[in-house]
Amino acid sequence: MKKIKIIGCCLSAVFAFFVIINIIPAKKFNSENVFINHNPGKPMLAAHRGGAITSPENTLMAYRNAVASYDIDIVESDIWITKDGKIVFSHDGTIDRMSDISLFDNTKDEHEIGDYTLDELKEFNFGYGFKDKKGNYPYRELVTVDQPDRREVLKESGLQILEVESLFKEFYTTKPDLLFIVEIKNGGEQGFKAVQALDDLLTNKYPEFKKNVVIGTFHDEISKDLRENHPDLLRGASTGDACRFIISHIFGVNIFSKADFACLQIPTSYKVKGVKISLDRKTFIKRAHRRNIAVQYWTINTAEEMRQLAALGCDCIMTDDPELFVEVAKEWK
């Protein structure tokens, strides 16, 4: 009987402990997080790579179209650094999939961004690899290899490689509330240089956008560099940060989390050694919101998933198809 009482007391203590830590207000990382959505039931729209299904990804054409046609809330893209230290938007570290580099040099299968200067990269047509919903390649015949006004045509159409500064310049005064999710793709020294270039650009030329940009990376050393050397830049959760936050959520001990990032950018599920862990949970989003952390899901390209995540109260849906999002969003008004 005595043992039963002891066990009962222990269980009561454990229960009380979990009740208390879930009642205590969580420490907020930032009281002013512009990535928190304040329109319940209608998440922010982030054009993933500018809307890779609707326009040539990561081009000025894509972002212009995403803003003008779909009134997106957030630009999403990835950043690489060029041979001459300029930062440009591209998902891949090579330019072969989206550009017409093969028409100029077919001696190798991969041409890395870091092997070219910005000026050299501007020679290529980054709409060449785009295939529309009908299966057509509408921009392949835009320019020929030896066309005299080739560069001018590519610039005017917005199909040159997109320098980060050019995108900021495009919307700094015309859409000052536009938000940006960017991922530093380079690791090591090149990644450090890319972060510094981005920080310098925001600080010296586009200071009002500084609070509008959240930076993510899959490289631990870049995440550490952001935290230690660029504390005034908003960070997205690194892979390690996200894992720790998810684990603390699963065990209900978020009170001990030291999360100091602005946004949690995640898929709807992870697979760990064949075991699926669902991340599309309302309680998970609520726990993040207690810390003023925005929850952003990628890459969501079906109406069903968009509806589900909106109902859960997520802050943002990243999609390749902003046109679909706009159609689905009509149901939420």
Side-chain angles (χ1 to χ4, degrees):
M1 192 69 177
K2 187 176 181 180
K3 288 183 179 180
I4 294 175
K5 288 183 177 180
I6 293 174
I7 293 172
C9 289
C10 290
L11 291 174
S12 298
V14 170
F15 177 76
F17 169 76
F18 278 97
V19 168
I20 290 170
I21 64 174
N22 280 279
I23 292 176
I24 297 174
K27 182 181 178 181
K28 294 186 176 183
F29 105 99
N30 189 330
S31 59
E32 297 180 6
N33 185 354
V34 295
F35 290 90
I36 292 288
N37 179 42
H38 297 289
N39 189 358
K42 186 179 180 182
M44 295 184 189
L45 165 58
H48 187 249
R49 307 182 197 177
I53 289 177
T54 56
S55 300
E57 65 182 59
N58 295 311
T59 62
L60 189 54
M61 175 189 282
Y63 292 114
R64 281 172 173 168
N65 183 48
V67 170
S69 300
Y70 310 116
D71 193 26
I72 64 170
D73 303 290
I74 305 174
V75 162
E76 189 281 339
S77 192
D78 309 287
I79 291 176
W80 292 89
I81 193 164
T82 66
K83 185 178 181 179
D84 55 340
K86 304 298 183 180
I87 46 177
V88 296
F89 290 118
S90 176
H91 176 267
D92 304 346
T94 59
I95 61 174
D96 303 88
R97 181 173 60 87
M98 292 307 300
S99 83
D100 57 355
I101 178 65
S102 62
L103 302 182
F104 292 83
D105 178 13
N106 61 3
T107 61
K108 53 184 180 179
D109 295 330
E110 294 189 336
H111 300 79
E112 296 186 4
I113 289 173
D115 290 339
Y116 294 86
T117 65
L118 176 62
D119 186 64
E120 290 169 338
L121 289 167
K122 286 184 176 180
E123 182 66 25
F124 308 118
N125 174 10
F126 280 82
Y128 188 83
F130 172 70
K131 183 166 66 173
D132 64 22
K133 291 183 178 181
K134 296 180 180 180
N136 301 316
Y137 292 87
Y139 305 108
R140 286 199 169 180
E141 306 302 323
L142 180 67
V143 288
T144 60
V145 171
D146 56 355
Q147 187 170 321
D149 62 345
R150 176 183 171 87
R151 281 196 173 218
E152 288 76 13
V153 173
L154 291 175
K155 181 180 179 181
E156 287 301 314
S157 60
L159 289 175
Q160 286 181 322
I161 196 164
L162 180 56
E163 189 179 7
V164 175
E165 180 170 5
S166 296
L167 187 64
F168 288 165
K169 183 178 180 181
E170 178 80 14
F171 297 112
Y172 194 58
T173 56
T174 60
K175 194 172 176 62
D177 60 342
L178 187 63
L179 305 179
F180 302 83
I181 298 170
V182 298
E183 180 184 332
I184 304 297
K185 284 288 196 173
N186 292 100
E189 288 300 320
Q190 292 300 95
F192 299 148
K193 290 178 182 178
V195 172
Q196 188 62 58
L198 179 58
D199 196 349
D200 291 343
L201 184 63
L202 288 167
T203 301
N204 300 324
K205 290 191 174 183
Y206 304 97
E208 294 303 313
F209 267 172
K210 200 163 190 176
K211 69 180 186 306
N212 291 19
V213 179
V214 63
I215 306 168
T217 179
F218 282 103
H219 301 286
D220 290 338
E221 75 276 13
I222 304 303
S223 184
K224 181 180 179 183
D225 179 60
L226 281 164
R227 182 184 288 107
E228 295 179 355
N229 300 319
H230 306 274
D232 54 340
L233 294 177
L234 295 180
R235 289 188 306 105
S238 67
T239 303
D241 289 333
C243 286
R244 285 187 288 272
F245 193 86
I246 290 165
I247 290 171
S248 70
H249 160 70
I250 291 172
F251 289 100
V253 290
N254 287 83
I255 191 67
F256 300 116
S257 171
K258 296 181 180 180
D260 59 351
F261 45 83
C263 301
L264 194 60
Q265 295 137 353
I266 51 176
T268 55
S269 64
Y270 276 136
K271 274 192 176 181
V272 181
K273 294 183 178 181
V275 179
K276 181 180 177 181
I277 300 175
S278 296
L279 304 180
D280 49 350
R281 303 179 185 179
K282 181 173 286 190
T283 54
F284 183 71
I285 295 170
K286 284 184 176 180
R287 286 183 182 275
H289 284 173
R290 289 179 67 187
R291 292 186 174 275
N292 215 35
I293 294 170
V295 182
Q296 305 167 327
Y297 286 95
W298 54 264
T299 304
I300 311 303
N301 291 330
T302 68
E304 182 181 355
E305 281 190 301
M306 290 177 183
R307 294 186 184 103
Q308 178 188 3
L309 293 173
L312 293 178
C314 76
D315 296 284
C316 165
I317 288 175
M318 298 185 226
T319 179
D320 291 316
D321 196 348
E323 183 178 34
L324 174 63
F325 180 98
V326 169
E327 284 301 309
V328 175
K330 292 176 182 178
E331 304 170 10
W332 304 332
K333 291 182 180 180

